Amino acid sequence: MTAELLEEPQTVGELIRFWRMRRRLSQLDLALQAEMSTKHLSFVETSRARPSRQLLIHLSHQLDLPMAERNRLLLAGGFAPVYLNQPYEAEAMRPLRESLHRLLDAHMPNPALIVDGLWNLIEANDAASLLWAGVDPELLKPPVNMLRLSAHPDGLPSVSSMTAACSIPLIYQLKRKSRENADKALAELIDEVESYLPDQAPATGIQQPMVTLDLRTRLGNVRLFTLIATIGAPLEVTAASLAIETFLPADTTSAARLRELADTSAARKVSR
C-alpha cells in the first residue's frame, strides 16, 4: 500500500490498516486485542472478506477511533453510521444549545465561551468581550479562533500579560490530539500557532498552581486563569468536539472588578 493511500484511506480495509498503524499495532496485536484470528483481520484489511457491522463497531472500539471516524468506517462498509453528525445550529442540537447558553450566562460576570474542535469561537457570554477588546480587528474576523487569539502577538498578548508561552500546555495537548486523531486541519493550526512561541520556554520558578494572565480593563488589571470542560458522554460528532472555556478570577480584587464591569455594562444597556 502506498504512502498516498495511507494518507487518504477509502475502503474499510484501508481505514482499518491506517488506524492500526496510527495506533502502532501489528496485525497480531490488534487480532489478539479484538479476539479474532490474524488471518481474518488480514482478509478484512485486503478486502478479501466483508466485515459485519458488529465487527466494524468492535474494531472501532479496539482502535479507539474518533466518533466521526467510526461513522466513516461504517459508511465505507455499507452500513448506517452510529452517531449523529449535525451542525451546531441544527434543530436537533437545540436542547444542547439552550443548555450551554444557560451555562454561559450562569458564569457571569466571568468570561466564558464555547469553541469547536479547531478552537473556533461558537458562542460566548457578554463578559467574554473583555478578552478581545483592543486586539487587532483582523483576528476578530469570523471564524474567530481562540487559540490563535491567545498566542498571536496582536491578540490577547497585546491587551494582557499573557505571552504565547502561556498557551504551551494547551498547544501541546492539542498537538497530541491532532496526531492521535489524524486531524490534518488541527495539525495545520498548531503549526501556525507554534510559530508564535518563543524559541525557549521561560525558565522562571513556579510560584503558583496554575498559569494566570493579567487582563487590562478600564477598572484596572483583572487576574484570570482558565478552566476547560467538555461534554461527558456525547452521542453526536459536533457535541463531542465542543469545549467550554471559563476565565475565572484568581483573587478577590479581580472578582470584584469583574462584577463591577458586568454591572456597569448592564446599566449602559438599560439606559439605551
Side-chain angles (χ1 to χ4, degrees):
M1 184 174 293
T2 65
E4 182 180 355
L5 191 56
L6 282 175
E7 290 177 3
E8 294 295 338
Q10 301 295 329
T11 68
V12 165
E14 291 168 3
L15 284 165
I16 291 173
R17 185 183 180 206
F18 173 87
W19 284 105
R20 175 175 62 75
M21 295 178 69
R22 173 71 59 170
R23 298 297 184 241
R24 300 180 182 277
L25 296 171
S26 67
Q27 279 191 345
L28 178 60
D29 292 332
L30 180 57
L32 289 173
Q33 191 172 306
E35 298 182 336
M36 62 187 296
S37 72
T38 307
K39 182 178 180 180
H40 189 190
L41 177 59
S42 176
F43 277 22
V44 169
E45 288 192 3
T46 56
S47 299
R48 295 173 65 185
R50 186 176 186 273
S52 66
R53 176 184 172 86
Q54 182 178 1
L55 178 58
L56 292 181
I57 292 174
H58 180 58
L59 287 174
S60 71
H61 284 300
Q62 300 306 312
L63 291 167
D64 192 23
L65 298 191
M67 197 174 285
E69 289 298 314
R70 298 185 187 209
N71 280 352
R72 183 184 177 193
L73 182 63
L74 286 169
L75 287 168
F79 303 106
V82 173
Y83 300 104
L84 293 173
N85 188 356
Q86 300 285 322
Y88 184 73
E89 295 300 328
E91 179 61 24
M93 300 287 281
R94 182 163 58 86
L96 173 63
R97 202 164 55 243
E98 291 176 347
S99 294
L100 292 179
H101 186 79
R102 288 192 293 271
L103 177 63
L104 293 179
D105 284 346
H107 277 297
M108 289 289 292
N110 305 321
L113 49 89
I114 300 170
V115 295
D116 63 16
L118 288 177
W119 230 248
N120 291 319
L121 180 65
I122 291 180
E123 193 172 357
N125 64 12
D126 290 342
S129 61
L130 293 171
L131 301 171
W132 45 78
V135 306
D136 186 347
E138 286 294 314
L139 294 173
L140 300 180
K141 291 181 177 179
V144 177
N145 188 272
M146 293 305 300
L147 190 61
R148 182 183 295 114
L149 192 71
S150 69
H152 194 286
D154 295 326
L156 260 172
S158 70
V159 296
S160 73
S161 65
M162 190 172 192
T163 67
C166 294
S167 300
I168 286 178
L170 177 58
I171 290 171
Y172 286 176
Q173 177 186 341
L174 293 176
K175 188 173 186 177
R176 185 167 59 250
K177 179 182 177 182
S178 74
R179 289 196 302 265
E180 291 174 352
N181 293 351
D183 191 329
K184 183 178 179 181
L186 182 57
E188 290 174 350
L189 174 64
I190 297 301
D191 285 344
E192 177 199 338
V193 174
E194 282 189 318
S195 70
Y196 307 134
L197 296 179
D199 293 334
Q200 293 184 339
T204 56
I206 298 174
Q207 304 295 328
Q208 58 186 19
M210 69 289 186
V211 173
T212 60
L213 64 98
D214 289 326
L215 182 67
R216 294 193 289 275
T217 75
R218 55 186 174 79
L219 297 180
N221 284 358
V222 172
R223 179 158 294 182
L224 304 170
F225 69 96
T226 65
L227 184 67
I228 299 173
T230 57
I231 295 173
L235 294 174
E236 194 277 338
V237 174
T238 298
S241 72
L242 299 178
I244 301 95
E245 184 171 18
T246 308
F247 292 75
L248 298 172
D251 52 55
T252 54
T253 299
S254 297
R257 284 178 177 168
L258 284 174
R259 284 194 297 271
E260 186 175 351
L261 286 164
D263 289 344
T264 55
S265 177
R268 287 177 181 175
K269 287 183 178 180
V270 171
S271 65
R272 292 174 185 171

